Every structure is written in C-alpha cells, then in structure tokens.
C-alpha cells in the first residue's frame, strides 16, 4: 500500500468516526417521528397542542398537552428569571472584580454545582425545599412551580455564569483601558463598556441556560408536583413535558395512543430545544462580539 | 521657570512585583511643550507614561516609590482619587481603541460621566472632532459605529475623545505605531497644532518622529533616565555616548 492510499484511508476512517454522532442523531429523530407522528391520525395537531385535557388513559382518552406545555414554559421562564441575574452577576464578579484567590474558589464551586447529578438536586428540592415551602406559605404541597423553578435555576446558573464569563473575558482590554483613561470608575466601565461589548455572549448564555432548563427531566419529575392542569398561581403543581414522558412511558402499552402521544410530546420538546439553540446560535453570530481587530 | 513646569517627578522607582522597571527617575515636564520619551523596548518609557495618569494602578502587584507632582500635588498621595487625575490627564493608546459605539457616543462617553448636560454635548462633540481634524470626514456619519472608520481615523477619534474631557495634559503611547505613513503624518500635524493648548507627552519608537515633533526628548535605557534635553541637542550633540549610540542606530 502506498503512503498516499494510507493517507486517504486514514482520512475516511476519521470521517466515519465523525459521522457516527450525526447518524445516531438522525436515527433518534427518525424513530421519534416514526413513533410519535401516528398520534395525529387520532387527534388533530391543533387539539393535541392546544387541548386542555390530558387524560391519556381514559376511555375515550384525551390527548391535549397544553397544560404540559404551559407547565414547561412557566418553570423554565421563572427559572430563567432567577438564574440570569445570579449567573450574570456571578460572572461579572468573577471576571472583573474578585481577587485571584476568591475567583479560583468561586469558579470551582460553580463547576461543582454543574457537576451535581440532577437527581441529587431533585432530592434536595423534595426533602428540604418542599417542606420549607409548605410550612412557610401554608400550602397543601411544596412540590410546585416555585420549587421546580428554584432547582432548575440552580442547574442553569453554572451554564449561564460560565458562558457569560467567557464573553466578559473576551472583551478586549483596550476598551477597559480607554474607559478608565477617560476617568470612568470600575462600575461605570462595567456597565457602560464591558457589559454592552459582551452582550451577544451573555444572550447566548441565557438561551443555552434556558435550553438546559426546558429539557431537564429528573428535577421536574421530582419537585414540580405532577398536576396536568393550567396553574393559577406560582404555588400550584404542574406537570412539565419531560416529567410526563418519564413518568408515563413505563405504563403506556406499546404503540398505543398514549405511547404515541408521549413520543409526540418528545417531538414538541425537540422543536423547543432546537428553537432555543438556533436562537442562541443566531444571536451569537448576528451580534458577534466586536473585537479590536480593526487594523 | 517653575511656573512652566506642569509635572515633576522626584526619585520615582516603580516595581512590577519584585522586578524594578524604573530606577530613581527625577525629571520635569514643561507646560505646553511636546516631550518625547524614547528608548529601546523594555526601557520603561511606556511604564513612566502610564504612571502619570495612574493607569498602572490597574495592574496587580505594582508599587510606586517617590512622588509625582502634578500642579504641585503628589498624584500618589493617599487622598487623591485616580479618577480625578485621569480626567485631567488624558491618554491615547498605541492601538486605536474606540468603543464599539457610535462616533458621537465615543466622544460623549467621558463628558457624560462628568455630567455634561445633553445640550452642551453636541457642541462639545463637534468642537472635539474639529480639534482632532476629523469633523469633515465624520460629520454626516456621527451615528454610525466608530468601528467602521479606518485605523487613522479611529486614532484621531480617540484623540478627540480624550480632548472632549478638556484635559491639561495629553499622554500618547506610541500613537502612530499601528498606522500607515499618511495617517501618521496627519497625527503629527495634529500634535503640532494641539501643543498650543495642551501639554503633550509622547512615547515613540520612531526616533525621526521624536525629532520632528518634540521640543524636549528624554532617552531611557533599562529603567534609567539616561539623558534629557532639548530635542535638537539630543539629536545633534548628545552628552552621553549611549544616547548617541541609540539615536545613530548602533543598538536598540
């Protein structure tokens, strides 16, 4: 075998390895659609997505997943509202303000938080947060929107903080120096120069944090309470989409309507996370960080 | 004579951590003069420049000894706010560094911080851009991003931005080293013009530039002030052999 044929063979071997993940993703999406789409022979897309009743085991069953979508969106949004200030502020503190020693400690702690298995966080929400909420606010159950949002926020903070931090570090030193040289204080420099320059990266961080929260299963399964109804207050229980799939898949008879509906929920979830990722991608390209590379 | 001195350094030593970057510098800077600081890389000329508006404060682990008097007050005295110093002593950097904002907002950035009201801002922006001879080129695109300007225009914008603070002194850290010869010539003309109203201290790698634009020249070598005199004298009859070797290109 000549050296050149070897090179070509090696090239294709690597290409195949790179292809594996693409193929696997393709197969997953294919089976998701193959198992999920038949439900729309039994119920229209409109009734499925906007239907208010989720009673998949009744006779006749109701496959309206609107309460589940609302449950997912509300815990994700509330988690974002909690996690964005915390994550971004932490990133600003780490990248711009903290002394070296504190910076190192904070970074490792936040990484540790990212490394916690979600079931551990869910356990914490169930055993510590839920009883506290129940006692403090005199609720029938502490497993509700607030609880799930707080735990999801804990999961999103490391994502938001570490990506924001990278964005802040990427702000050219020259901008900061220019600001200080004009007599700006550190605070003025952070707010008026550094944050705007890092905004695209921070937006990406937020979108990825949200994608992380909306797809998270274990936490919402454990602490969201599991009620498939439109919530009326933040102390109500909800049943986000991933929790429904995880809780019900074991009981749904193979290729029954219920089974297909759960896969169809998977399709909806797939499109939602895809949407978040596309927006994140768009934002980071469109508002590409303006560097100093102008010469 | 004393009244014409705007900055006076008394026995200044400067350290980055353990290593000493400037050794026992004593010198004065004349008012409304252009003073050039020259010397090979690492001689401490930029470090000295950044000491004058306390930019070195931003680097961890640095230490200053001695005193630097600006209008007879030590700018390193504990009761001095570096922010105040930087408002009176402006700086232009080696690489043009406009903010990723509009041309207008680049100029307005500093004055807004000091609370100049919106009505006066327009006048100030126009005046500053005229001073830096950029007005005619940008007057119709004030709301466009400053990042679209050429390198030379960006540098004049940065000068205008510094001038908008109405500083007493303008520090320039190799302001033309990243520019083409035509842009460089424009900036040099500008410096000539600005020295009527401002004291300019400029670090340069380019000895011809120092000879062209400065009234006084200080030659530094490994953290020491080797020779400081009228530019004409330094470039024709330097007192010290080392200065002569440097300006004739024997080393550096």
């Amino acid at each position: 075998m000549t050296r050149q044929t070897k090179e070509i063979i090696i090239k294709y071997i690597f290409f195949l390895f790179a292809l594996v993940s693409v193929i696997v993703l393709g197969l997953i999406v294919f089976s998701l659609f193959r198992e999920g789409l038949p439900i729309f022979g039994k119920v229209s897309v409109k009734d499925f997505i906007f239907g208010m009743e989720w009673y998949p085991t009744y006779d006749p069953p109701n496959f309206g997943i609107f309460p589940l979508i609302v449950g997912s969106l509300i815990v994700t949004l509330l988690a974002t509202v909690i996690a964005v200030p915390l994550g971004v502020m932490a990133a600003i503190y780490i990248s711009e303000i903290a002394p070296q020693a504190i910076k190192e400690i904070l970074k490792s702690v936040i990484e540790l938080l990212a490394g916690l298995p979600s079931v551990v966080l869910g356990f914490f929400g169930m055993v510590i947060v839920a009883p506290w909420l129940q006692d403090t606010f005199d609720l029938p159950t502490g497993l509700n929107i607030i609880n799930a949002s707080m735990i999801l926020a804990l999961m999103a903070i490391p994502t938001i903080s570490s990506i924001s931090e990278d964005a802040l570090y990427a702000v050219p030193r020259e901008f900061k120096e220019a600001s200080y040289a004009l007599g700006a204080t550190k605070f003025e420099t952070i707010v008026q120069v550094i944050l705007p320059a890092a905004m695209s990266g921070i937006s990406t961080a937020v979108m990825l944090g949200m994608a992380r929260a909306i797809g998270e299963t274990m936490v919402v399964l454990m602490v969201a309470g599991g009620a498939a109804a439109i919530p009326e207050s933040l102390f109500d229980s909800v049943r986000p989409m991933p929790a429904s799939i995880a809780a019900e898949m074991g009981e749904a008879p193979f290729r029954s309507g219920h089974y297909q509906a759960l896969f169809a929920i998977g399709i909806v979830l797939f499109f939602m996370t895809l949407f978040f990722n596309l927006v994140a991608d768009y934002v980071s390209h469109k508002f590409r960080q303006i560097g100093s590379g102008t010469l | 004579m004393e009244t014409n001195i705007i900055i006076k350094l008394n026995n200044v030593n400067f350290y980055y951590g353990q290593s000493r970057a400037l050794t026992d510098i004593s010198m004065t800077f004349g008012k409304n003069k252009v003073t050039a600081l020259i010397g090979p890389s690492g001689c401490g000329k930029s470090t000295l420049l950044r000491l004058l508006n306390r930019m070195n404060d931003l680097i961890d682990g640095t230490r200053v000894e001695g005193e630097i008097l600006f209008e007879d007050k030590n700018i390193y005295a504990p009761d001095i706010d570096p922010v105040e110093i930087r408002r009176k002593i402006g700086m232009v950097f080696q690489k043009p560094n406009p903010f990723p904002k509009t041309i207008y907002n680049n100029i307005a950035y500093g004055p807004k911080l000091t609370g100049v009201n919106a009505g006066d801002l327009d006048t100030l922006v126009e005046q500053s851009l005229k001073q830096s001879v950029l007005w005619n080129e940008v007057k119709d695109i004030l709301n466009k991003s400053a990042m679209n300007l050429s390198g030379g225009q960006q540098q004049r914008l940065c000068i205008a931005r510094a001038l908008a603070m109405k500083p007493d002194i303008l520090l320039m850290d190799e302001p033309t080293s990243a520019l083409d010869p035509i842009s460089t010539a424009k900036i040099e003309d500008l410096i000539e013009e600005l020295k009527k109203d401002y004291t300019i201290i400029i670090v340069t790698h380019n000895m011809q530039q120092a000879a062209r634009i400065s009234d006084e020249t200080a030659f530094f070598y490994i953290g020491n002030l080797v020779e400081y005199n009228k530019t004409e004298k330094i470039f024709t009859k330097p007192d010290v052999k080392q200065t002569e070797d440097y300006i004739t290109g024997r080393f550096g």
Side-chain angles (χ1 to χ4, degrees):
Chain A
M1 203 170 1
T2 68
R3 194 173 292 145
Q4 262 172 334
T5 31
K6 259 191 203 166
E7 288 286 325
I8 291 168
I9 290 171
I10 287 169
K11 193 174 109 183
Y12 281 109
I13 288 175
F14 275 90
F15 174 67
L16 281 179
F17 279 116
L19 210 58
V20 167
S21 60
V22 177
I23 293 170
V24 170
L25 176 69
L27 288 175
I28 290 173
V29 172
F30 173 75
S31 64
L32 189 63
F33 279 83
R34 193 189 58 177
E35 303 298 323
L37 285 181
I39 189 67
F40 298 117
K42 294 169 186 149
V43 52
S44 74
V45 176
K46 183 169 162 277
D47 288 345
F48 182 71
I49 289 177
F50 295 105
M52 301 299 266
E53 312 270 296
W54 176 250
Y55 296 120
T57 51
Y58 279 26
D59 193 19
N62 284 318
F63 296 119
I65 65 164
F66 197 65
L68 313 187
I69 295 178
V70 170
S72 267
L73 290 181
I74 195 145
V75 291
T76 302
L77 282 178
L78 190 57
T80 310
V81 169
I82 300 170
V84 167
L86 290 171
V88 174
M89 298 279 190
I92 292 172
Y93 181 70
I94 290 172
S95 75
E96 302 300 325
I97 301 170
Q100 195 60 32
I102 295 179
K103 186 183 292 188
E104 296 297 326
I105 296 169
L106 258 180
K107 279 187 73 151
S108 357
V109 171
I110 290 178
E111 271 160 33
L112 204 65
L113 186 60
L116 275 186
S118 55
V119 67
V120 173
L121 281 167
F123 190 66
F124 172 74
M126 238 174 165
V127 179
I128 312 283
V129 182
W132 176 80
L133 279 173
Q134 198 173 357
D135 289 349
T136 314
F137 297 99
D138 194 22
L139 305 167
T141 171
L143 302 175
N144 54 25
I145 296 174
I146 290 276
N147 192 340
S149 303
M150 289 198 296
I151 305 292
L152 282 179
L154 281 182
M155 302 194 69
I157 284 171
T159 308
I160 294 176
S161 152
S162 69
I163 298 173
S164 302
E165 197 192 314
D166 291 343
L168 291 165
Y169 274 128
V171 174
R173 212 180 110 92
E174 288 87 8
F175 291 170
K176 302 179 202 174
E177 289 203 323
S179 175
Y180 285 123
L182 289 165
T185 61
K186 189 166 215 164
F187 178 71
E188 289 163 341
T189 303
I190 290 173
V191 173
Q192 300 193 29
V193 174
I194 300 177
L195 272 183
M199 206 33 92
S200 86
I202 293 173
S203 315
T204 308
V206 171
M207 294 313 291
L208 292 176
M210 288 178 86
R212 173 105 175 77
I214 202 166
E216 169 54 30
T217 307
M218 190 49 78
V219 164
V220 290
L221 182 62
M222 291 171 81
V223 303
I230 305 274
E232 282 163 5
S233 95
L234 294 181
F235 293 112
D236 284 354
S237 296
V238 287
R239 189 182 190 85
M241 292 184 284
S244 300
I245 301 175
E248 296 167 30
M249 195 51 102
E251 293 142 33
F254 185 62
R255 296 218 165 136
S256 64
H258 189 189
Y259 170 97
Q260 289 162 344
L262 291 176
F263 269 96
I265 294 176
I267 296 173
V268 173
L269 206 49
F270 169 76
F271 278 118
M272 281 189 173
T273 39
L274 186 69
F275 170 76
F276 279 116
N277 281 299
L278 287 179
V279 171
D281 208 44
Y282 173 78
V283 168
S284 69
H285 277 86
K286 167 98 185 186
F287 305 102
R288 186 177 290 286
Q289 202 137 21
I290 303 154
S292 57
T294 47
L295 283 173
Chain B
M1 188 65 196
E2 277 291 319
T3 51
N4 292 327
I5 288 170
I6 191 158
I7 288 194
K8 186 165 198 240
L9 282 74
N10 289 331
N11 307 96
V12 172
N13 286 290
F14 182 77
Y15 303 84
Y16 290 109
Q18 292 301 311
S19 77
R20 179 148 76 174
L22 289 171
T23 308
D24 201 27
I25 309 285
S26 294
M27 66 191 296
T28 57
F29 291 98
K31 205 169 184 168
N32 290 15
K33 288 269 174 22
V34 177
T35 307
L37 310 180
I38 63 168
S41 292
C43 69
K45 58 193 190 298
S46 284
T47 303
L48 181 84
L49 193 76
R50 295 168 60 95
L51 271 180
L52 303 181
N53 66 341
R54 295 196 54 170
M55 283 301 277
N56 285 334
D57 289 19
L58 304 175
I59 303 167
D60 287 337
T62 58
R63 188 158 55 86
V64 190
E65 288 170 359
E67 51 177 17
I68 299 177
L69 304 174
F70 167 53
E71 292 173 337
D72 294 329
K73 270 197 270 301
N74 183 8
I75 63 169
Y76 282 88
D79 60 328
I80 296 281
D81 180 2
V83 165
E84 285 304 316
I85 297 298
R86 292 184 197 130
R87 287 177 182 178
K88 288 187 190 140
I89 306 182
M91 188 166 214
V92 176
F93 295 84
Q94 183 169 2
K95 228 162 112 188
N97 57 352
F99 298 122
K101 300 175 186 283
T102 63
I103 293 169
Y104 185 95
N105 282 333
N106 262 277
I107 311 286
Y109 181 80
K112 269 186 193 163
L113 295 176
T114 55
V116 171
N117 66 47
D120 299 336
L121 221 45
D122 289 355
T123 328
L124 189 57
V125 168
E126 179 174 343
Q127 192 189 344
S128 308
L129 284 168
K130 277 182 174 159
Q131 265 185 302
S132 74
V133 203
L134 191 59
W135 177 250
N136 286 331
E137 291 157 68
V138 301
K139 63 176 183 238
D140 299 322
I141 52 166
L142 291 177
N143 288 319
K144 292 264 165 61
S145 169
M147 302 319 248
N148 299 332
L149 299 175
S150 74
Q153 289 174 322
Q154 288 188 0
Q155 195 62 302
R156 277 179 285 147
L157 181 72
C158 292
I159 294 173
R161 183 173 66 182
L163 294 178
M165 294 299 287
K166 304 193 184 295
D168 297 324
I169 303 178
L170 206 52
L171 306 176
M172 298 182 145
D173 190 358
E174 303 194 35
T176 62
S177 69
L179 303 182
D180 62 89
I182 294 168
S183 302
T184 299
K186 281 187 182 162
I187 303 255
E188 288 184 7
D189 291 346
L190 181 57
I191 291 170
E192 196 65 40
E193 197 57 38
L194 290 174
K195 82 175 200 193
K196 289 173 198 153
D197 303 311
Y198 302 91
T199 303
I200 295 171
I201 303 171
I202 178 170
V203 163
T204 177
H205 245 105
N206 179 335
M207 277 173 284
Q208 287 74 28
Q209 182 171 65
R212 279 195 300 267
I213 63 174
S214 69
D215 304 309
E216 317 266 343
T217 298
F219 171 60
F220 289 84
Y221 188 59
I222 348 185
N224 290 288
L225 175 60
V226 177
E227 190 170 352
Y228 183 28
N229 219 322
K230 294 219 173 313
T231 299
E232 201 188 308
K233 166 100 166 108
I234 292 264
F235 281 93
T236 51
K237 277 188 295 198
D239 291 332
V240 185
K241 177 82 167 49
Q242 220 169 15
T243 314
E244 189 180 340
D245 287 351
Y246 180 69
I247 60 172
T248 53
R250 229 161 279 165
F251 80 99

